[in-house]
Amino acid sequence: MEPILQLIDVAKRYGGVRALERASFSVAPGRIHALLGENGAGKSTLIKMLGGDEDTDTGSIGMPGNTRLGVLKQNHFEYDKERILDAVLMGNKALWDAMHEKEKLLTTEITDEVGLRLGELEGVIAEENGYTAESEAAELLEGLGIVSVSHTDTMSTLPSGYKLRVLIAQVLYGKPDVLLLDEPTNHLDLDSIRWLERFLIDEYRGTLIVISHDRHFLNAVCTHIADVDYQTITEYTGNYQDFVEQKYDNKQRADQQNVAAKKKIQELQGFVQRFGAHASKSSQAQSRLKQIEKLKEDVQGRGGKRSSLVRPFIRFEFEKPSGRDVLRMEDVYKSFDLEKGGVKRIFDGASLNLNRGDKLAVIGPNGIGKSTLLKLLVGAYERIDADTKKDAQKPNQGAIHWGHDVSVGYFAQDHHEALGHAAKESNAFQWLYQWDKDAPQETIRGIMGRLLFSGEEALKPVSALSGGEAARLLMCKLLLQKHNVLVLDEPTNHLDIESIEGLLDGLKLFKGTVIVVSHDRHFIGDLCTRIVELKHGKAKDGSQCSVLDDYNGTYEEFLEKMGRDYLRK
């Protein structure tokens, strides 16, 4: 079977770091490939090159000329002025252009030439199933959790996570032969992830290349794994679990071969030292020297570069524990002014107490106010207000009190906002160093090394960091500042699977207090000992708002009692 996509001897440097070196890779039609590799290995860069948004330094990428390519857009604000339904229809460019031109021509004088063109456009619209276009687009949107009453609203009315859903619907609507998806499950709730899985397995007939840190999603949909590692691409057959088993088997085999090779090198070196000066043995000594060089090259080739299955070493420490009572939130009222007028009420009389050592998960459906709650707790809205001179974002009523000796570290969901605009002018080491200029440089380097920023990678420009690298750099800041309370908003987004496990290890050993929002059931289920569920309820005046339901127990215990699963299975 002829491949539908081929990379031949591709090399690429990005941000001064070599991502790929003479990498070759081919994809047969109908296969579902996951791109795996450590953060910064070049996965997103590879997707951009496949989609034509970036050029290779050397080598070539080829697809048949009639291939229809679909790429999940990363700019969530690109279509803000468009109707939600229209943004989906734009996924089929030929149809959208034909419909747009037809509409424009119908406002002009109908001449013979215009009539002829209208006939041609009707042919394109019919060929692209244009007469059922809106119903098909609406079906995709509803499957992704966007209700029909909002389809004629503009994209600007949607939160960022829902804009991602529209962009997924857009790329699926285009019915591409080759589909490129970079982290499609980020910001999707459980129902939408399950719908996307079913669509890709049961309905999509093309070729898919996907980047995702969601092991459950990868195990459900993937037929092959493309491992971006050692500056090249290696293909494995099967899903993520099959890949891990094969990868570890290969690594163990390589380690065993290296042990045997090093032992052999010692034996050969002993011979050379004993007999190298003897004329009768000189030819044998020279032969053994050549063997030694060859064995050293083999050892270097098998173990000289870092594997993608490297787990960062994360250990959160603090210099002084907090008091027993960590947080009191009392009768908090919170609302936002809407662009079209009116008020959206989030909380009305919300209260919460937090004790030292709690590992608290905040769960609930998308859009219920989980991130808003975390931002209220850490004062993020008040910091924004100081910059913008507005006060509409602050808690409208109520009080939030942190306890004695509490030091709060906050991990924001928007990494670029957390890094700051000025960070674009600095490298990763400089950005981290600014947060504690009294710290020895060896301490900064040590923290970065444990988070996989070793050697030259610590000098990588912040503007060139991948999403996962940006997340790990923000983790470095938390490690450096040694807070005794950690407030984490979707910390696993953009992290590769080994980094998620490293973070989980660190948080489980942390003796302080944790508040976390995450859609990763494995992460929450393994970490948290207390659950706060946000759900739809009624305010004092009868209007809708979110209410807090506090459950003292693990997520598995919560499921057994409540039966409401908001997280990934």
Side-chain angles (χ1 to χ4, degrees), residues 252-269:
Q252 190 173 30
R253 193 177 306 113
D255 289 343
Q256 291 170 349
Q257 290 172 345
N258 284 347
V259 169
K262 288 174 182 178
K263 184 178 179 181
K264 184 66 175 176
I265 288 171
Q266 288 177 344
E267 293 173 359
L268 294 170
Q269 286 173 335

Side-chain angles (χ1 to χ4, degrees), residues 8-56:
I8 302 173
D9 292 337
V10 168
K12 180 68 177 178
R13 294 184 71 89
Y14 196 74
V17 177
R18 187 176 297 280
L20 296 173
E21 178 66 32
R22 297 183 64 82
S24 297
F25 173 55
S26 64
V27 181
R31 287 184 177 178
I32 297 179
H33 275 78
L35 287 184
L36 293 185
E38 63 172 336
N39 295 138
K43 303 184 297 294
S44 293
T45 300
L46 181 54
I47 286 277
K48 290 175 183 175
M49 290 192 293
L50 294 174
D53 293 329
E54 291 223 11
D55 295 326
T56 64

Side-chain angles (χ1 to χ4, degrees), residues 213-250:
H213 69 266
D214 184 341
R215 74 193 69 198
H216 309 291
F217 177 79
L218 297 178
N219 280 329
V221 305
C222 290
T223 62
H224 292 75
I225 302 294
D227 183 29
V228 185
D229 198 6
Y230 302 134
Q231 299 175 351
T232 189
I233 304 169
T234 305
E235 185 176 1
Y236 295 81
T237 300
N239 61 17
Y240 176 75
Q241 189 60 43
D242 299 325
F243 157 76
V244 169
E245 293 172 3
Q246 295 175 63
K247 180 94 173 181
Y248 274 118
D249 286 346
N250 291 346

Side-chain angles (χ1 to χ4, degrees), residues 175-315:
K175 298 180 177 64
D177 301 309
V178 176
L179 179 58
L180 308 178
L181 300 179
D182 191 349
E183 297 287 6
T185 63
N186 278 0
H187 310 297
L188 297 187
D189 59 22
L190 180 69
D191 288 341
S192 297
I193 293 169
R194 296 294 159 259
W195 178 89
L196 181 60
E197 286 177 359
R198 289 193 299 272
F199 184 93
L200 293 173
I201 294 168
D202 298 334
E203 298 186 42
Y204 180 63
R205 294 292 176 263
T207 300
L208 170 65
I209 297 178
V210 59
I211 297 172
S212 177
H213 69 266
D214 184 341
R215 74 193 69 198
H216 309 291
F217 177 79
L218 297 178
N219 280 329
V221 305
C222 290
T223 62
H224 292 75
I225 302 294
D227 183 29
V228 185
D229 198 6
Y230 302 134
Q231 299 175 351
T232 189
I233 304 169
T234 305
E235 185 176 1
Y236 295 81
T237 300
N239 61 17
Y240 176 75
Q241 189 60 43
D242 299 325
F243 157 76
V244 169
E245 293 172 3
Q246 295 175 63
K247 180 94 173 181
Y248 274 118
D249 286 346
N250 291 346
K251 187 177 185 302
Q252 190 173 30
R253 193 177 306 113
D255 289 343
Q256 291 170 349
Q257 290 172 345
N258 284 347
V259 169
K262 288 174 182 178
K263 184 178 179 181
K264 184 66 175 176
I265 288 171
Q266 288 177 344
E267 293 173 359
L268 294 170
Q269 286 173 335
F271 180 90
V272 171
Q273 288 171 357
R274 287 196 306 273
F275 301 111
H278 293 264
S280 61
K281 300 283 188 178
S282 63
S283 62
Q284 295 178 39
Q286 290 300 315
S287 173
R288 282 162 172 75
L289 283 171
K290 290 179 181 178
Q291 290 181 55
I292 289 171
E293 290 303 314
K294 177 66 169 63
L295 287 169
K296 285 182 176 179
E297 288 177 7
D298 291 343
V299 170
Q300 180 68 18
R302 286 190 292 262
K305 299 172 185 175
R306 193 168 70 208
S307 166
S308 63
L309 291 175
V310 171
R311 184 171 297 181
F313 182 80
I314 301 176
R315 294 294 182 268

Side-chain angles (χ1 to χ4, degrees), residues 451-471:
L451 271 294
L452 309 184
F453 290 102
S454 57
E456 291 186 3
E457 292 180 7
L459 304 178
K460 193 171 184 179
V462 171
S463 59
L465 295 179
S466 69
E469 287 174 316

Side-chain angles (χ1 to χ4, degrees), residues 101-122:
E101 186 179 352
K102 174 187 171 183
E103 186 177 331
K104 188 175 179 180
L105 287 176
L106 288 174
T107 63
T108 65
E109 182 182 351
I110 307 299
T111 63
D112 290 343
E113 185 179 355
V114 169
L116 184 63
R117 180 57 182 161
L118 284 170
E120 293 172 350
L121 293 173
E122 288 290 353

Side-chain angles (χ1 to χ4, degrees), residues 262-486:
K262 288 174 182 178
K263 184 178 179 181
K264 184 66 175 176
I265 288 171
Q266 288 177 344
E267 293 173 359
L268 294 170
Q269 286 173 335
F271 180 90
V272 171
Q273 288 171 357
R274 287 196 306 273
F275 301 111
H278 293 264
S280 61
K281 300 283 188 178
S282 63
S283 62
Q284 295 178 39
Q286 290 300 315
S287 173
R288 282 162 172 75
L289 283 171
K290 290 179 181 178
Q291 290 181 55
I292 289 171
E293 290 303 314
K294 177 66 169 63
L295 287 169
K296 285 182 176 179
E297 288 177 7
D298 291 343
V299 170
Q300 180 68 18
R302 286 190 292 262
K305 299 172 185 175
R306 193 168 70 208
S307 166
S308 63
L309 291 175
V310 171
R311 184 171 297 181
F313 182 80
I314 301 176
R315 294 294 182 268
F316 295 101
E317 299 173 346
F318 52 81
E319 294 176 351
K320 188 176 183 181
S322 68
R324 187 176 62 85
D325 297 321
V326 171
L327 170 73
R328 281 188 296 113
M329 184 174 84
E330 299 174 335
D331 203 28
V332 166
Y333 173 96
K334 175 64 182 171
S335 64
F336 292 100
D337 294 331
L338 298 175
E339 290 182 7
K340 296 180 179 179
V343 172
K344 180 179 181 180
R345 186 164 299 170
I346 309 297
F347 301 117
D348 189 338
S351 297
L352 175 68
N353 292 330
L354 194 66
N355 301 318
R356 183 179 59 216
D358 279 345
K359 290 185 167 63
L360 172 71
V362 179
I363 64 171
N366 278 6
I368 196 73
K370 301 185 295 294
S371 292
T372 299
L373 175 62
L374 265 56
K375 288 180 178 179
L376 285 171
L377 295 181
V378 301
Y381 288 126
E382 294 168 18
R383 288 196 291 273
I384 293 170
D385 297 338
D387 293 335
T388 60
K389 308 303 181 186
K390 296 179 180 179
D391 57 11
Q393 304 273 8
K394 297 178 183 178
N396 305 88
Q397 293 177 13
I400 295 172
H401 300 289
W402 289 100
H404 182 64
D405 285 332
V406 165
S407 170
V408 181
Y410 175 51
F411 182 94
Q413 187 176 150
D414 187 334
H415 299 163
H416 296 293
E417 180 181 317
L419 289 169
H421 298 295
K424 294 180 180 179
E425 306 300 323
S426 62
N427 62 40
F429 175 86
Q430 291 167 337
W431 183 88
L432 184 59
Y433 185 60
Q434 71 175 317
W435 298 104
D436 187 355
K437 293 186 177 180
D438 293 329
Q441 292 196 14
E442 293 79 7
T443 300
I444 304 289
R445 282 283 192 171
I447 290 172
M448 297 188 77
R450 295 199 297 273
L451 271 294
L452 309 184
F453 290 102
S454 57
E456 291 186 3
E457 292 180 7
L459 304 178
K460 193 171 184 179
V462 171
S463 59
L465 295 179
S466 69
E469 287 174 316
R472 283 194 278 113
L473 184 58
L474 293 170
M475 291 293 173
C476 287
K477 178 186 173 185
L478 294 180
L479 291 174
L480 178 66
Q481 296 187 322
K482 297 184 178 181
H483 303 285
N484 52 34
V485 176
L486 299 176

